[in-house]
Amino acid sequence: MKKVIVFTTGGTIAMKYDEARGGLVPAVSGEDLAAAVPGLGSLARVEVREFSNVASCNMSPQKMFELSLQIESALADSEVAGAVITHGTDTLEETAYFLDLLHGSDKPVCVVGAMRGASDTSPDGPANIYCAVQTAASENARGKGVLVVLNNVIHAAGQVRKTHSANCATFESPWWGPLGYCDQDRVIFRRAPVGRQVFHPRALTARVDLIPAQTGLGPEYIDFALSRGCQGIVIEGYGRGNIPPALEDGIARAAAQGVAVVIATRAFAGRPYETYAYPGSVGDSKKHGAVRGGEASGAKTRLKLMIVLSERPELARDPAALEKVMDS
Ligand code: DAS
């Protein structure tokens, strides 16, 4: 029987209602999480490793990097078929994408969470863990990178978004759709992720800040980011990546200091592009020293830029080469 390692990090999936505090709080150990899933032992030999037990608002890029090291070292064991990560859904898509960018092996890594706590009348955690282990142990899931598995549906880490604050069907891949689904007897894929990139930074050294475009905004947040000593800034623009024109001076100051500025889009899909030539357009931002990112959200683009600049810091001063990596 195949062996699957389950790393637990926390999230609603491991929370119970606390009478005194009046809400859900971390309460379930990794072992108890797995024990609450009927039939799990028939899918794989499951070994649980508790990485943390926190709400996912406590996740940080450094913790994601540490988690990735632990996953990759577990997968290096020839006995291990795949890994499952339990995680809070709030930042799940960020951790999944981060892990995907560092995941070079063919072995499946499935990130899973739940929208209802373990003490809820009808918790979704046990069924979600079941599906995640089923997927991690499946031959069909090999070579597809890091997958997000919730509500019986399988998504690519690079395309998935949390779309509803409370509904169990919250995870969607807008415009692309899921990769497949878990059925009772097997895991079924109908497409595979294309164009994944894998990086190999020795450590996560680059600091990158994310600034969402806001109507009427000036360059002050860019200047603040520069004052904090960041190596990169991601600006999440509108539509094709257009931003308030008053940010352009800040972009020029960042570029003059060798700080990489990458434009993303807040649209659910599509790329930023130099379609326009007016002040604040991507064409204008590029003239001031920015480069465009690809289809990833601002939050995901920030993580990618951290990884890219940690591996190749010289790209901060090479806009053409940086854009090639970021927009692919
Ligand atoms: N409790 C939140 C979190 O940790 C939400 C969740 O897990 O669903 O992200």
Side-chain angles (χ1 to χ4, degrees), residues 10-15 24 54-58 87-92 113-116 162 165 171:
T12 297
I13 199 166
M15 292 188 194
L24 296 170
V54 295
S56 72
C57 55
N58 296 286
H87 198 287
T89 61
D90 288 349
T91 62
L92 187 150
M115 295 300 287
R116 298 178 184 150
K162 183 174 180 176
S165 64
F171 283 98

Side-chain angles (χ1 to χ4, degrees), residues 222-290:
I222 295 179
D223 291 327
F224 178 62
L226 295 176
S227 75
R228 280 163 28 106
C230 63
Q231 283 78 52
I233 297 171
V234 172
I235 302 176
E236 192 179 59
Y238 316 120
R240 269 303 214 186
N242 309 306
I243 57 172
L247 270 71
E248 299 294 354
D249 281 352
I251 291 178
R253 279 194 286 282
Q257 292 178 34
V259 172
V261 180
V262 176
I263 308 291
T265 173
R266 72 179 186 183
F268 266 173
R271 300 152 65 217
Y273 199 74
E274 45 270 52
T275 304
Y276 304 101
Y278 53 73
S281 64
V282 170
D284 188 38
S285 296
K286 287 185 69 167
K287 283 193 187 119
H288 285 85

Side-chain angles (χ1 to χ4, degrees), residues 4-319:
V4 170
I5 310 290
V6 176
F7 290 90
T8 59
T9 71
T12 297
I13 199 166
M15 292 188 194
K16 283 187 174 169
Y17 187 79
D18 183 292
E19 201 71 52
R21 293 162 75 182
L24 296 170
V25 295
V28 186
S29 72
E31 288 296 340
D32 287 347
L33 258 191
V37 186
L40 199 63
S42 68
L43 295 173
R45 276 186 294 137
V46 170
E47 184 183 313
V48 179
R49 298 187 190 169
E50 194 163 299
F51 179 81
S52 61
N53 194 356
V54 295
S56 72
C57 55
N58 296 286
M59 217 57 189
S60 67
Q62 284 300 341
K63 286 180 188 166
M64 294 175 200
F65 188 70
E66 174 55 31
L67 180 60
S68 135
L69 294 177
Q70 291 192 23
I71 293 167
E72 297 306 320
S73 120
L75 294 180
D77 179 345
S78 59
E79 272 198 33
V80 175
V84 167
I85 323 303
T86 65
H87 198 287
T89 61
D90 288 349
T91 62
L92 187 150
E93 71 202 50
E94 285 191 48
T95 297
Y97 183 60
F98 187 101
L99 297 176
D100 191 55
L101 290 171
L102 301 179
H103 181 55
S105 137
D106 267 359
K107 296 183 180 180
V109 172
C110 300
V111 189
V112 62
M115 295 300 287
R116 298 178 184 150
S119 57
D120 197 280
T121 317
S122 176
D124 52 334
N128 287 347
I129 292 175
Y130 185 94
C131 289
V133 171
Q134 185 187 19
T135 307
S138 167
E139 276 301 311
N140 297 346
R142 285 181 68 90
K144 296 190 171 62
V146 174
L147 305 167
V148 170
V149 185
L150 264 96
N151 212 32
N152 286 55
V153 182
I154 304 167
H155 296 271
Q159 292 158 357
V160 74
R161 302 284 288 259
K162 183 174 180 176
T163 64
H164 193 285
S165 64
N167 196 280
C168 290
T170 183
F171 283 98
E172 293 181 37
S173 299
W175 280 89
W176 301 107
L179 301 180
Y181 61 101
C182 301
D183 211 341
Q184 282 174 268
D185 59 335
R186 66 193 167 102
V187 173
I188 297 170
F189 283 92
R190 290 296 174 222
R191 69 178 185 91
V194 174
R196 288 184 55 238
Q197 290 170 289
V198 178
F199 301 95
H200 306 281
R202 289 220 185 101
L204 196 64
T205 50
R207 171 178 201 132
V208 176
D209 284 350
L210 167 64
I211 301 172
Q214 304 156 57
T215 49
L217 190 67
E220 52 272 18
Y221 289 155
I222 295 179
D223 291 327
F224 178 62
L226 295 176
S227 75
R228 280 163 28 106
C230 63
Q231 283 78 52
I233 297 171
V234 172
I235 302 176
E236 192 179 59
Y238 316 120
R240 269 303 214 186
N242 309 306
I243 57 172
L247 270 71
E248 299 294 354
D249 281 352
I251 291 178
R253 279 194 286 282
Q257 292 178 34
V259 172
V261 180
V262 176
I263 308 291
T265 173
R266 72 179 186 183
F268 266 173
R271 300 152 65 217
Y273 199 74
E274 45 270 52
T275 304
Y276 304 101
Y278 53 73
S281 64
V282 170
D284 188 38
S285 296
K286 287 185 69 167
K287 283 193 187 119
H288 285 85
V291 308
R292 62 179 142 75
E295 293 161 337
S297 67
K300 286 180 178 176
T301 302
R302 169 187 172 244
L303 295 172
K304 180 175 175 181
L305 188 58
M306 290 180 90
I307 289 170
V308 168
L309 293 178
S310 296
E311 184 178 274
R312 298 175 63 190
E314 71 281 3
L315 289 189
R317 289 189 183 274
D318 187 345

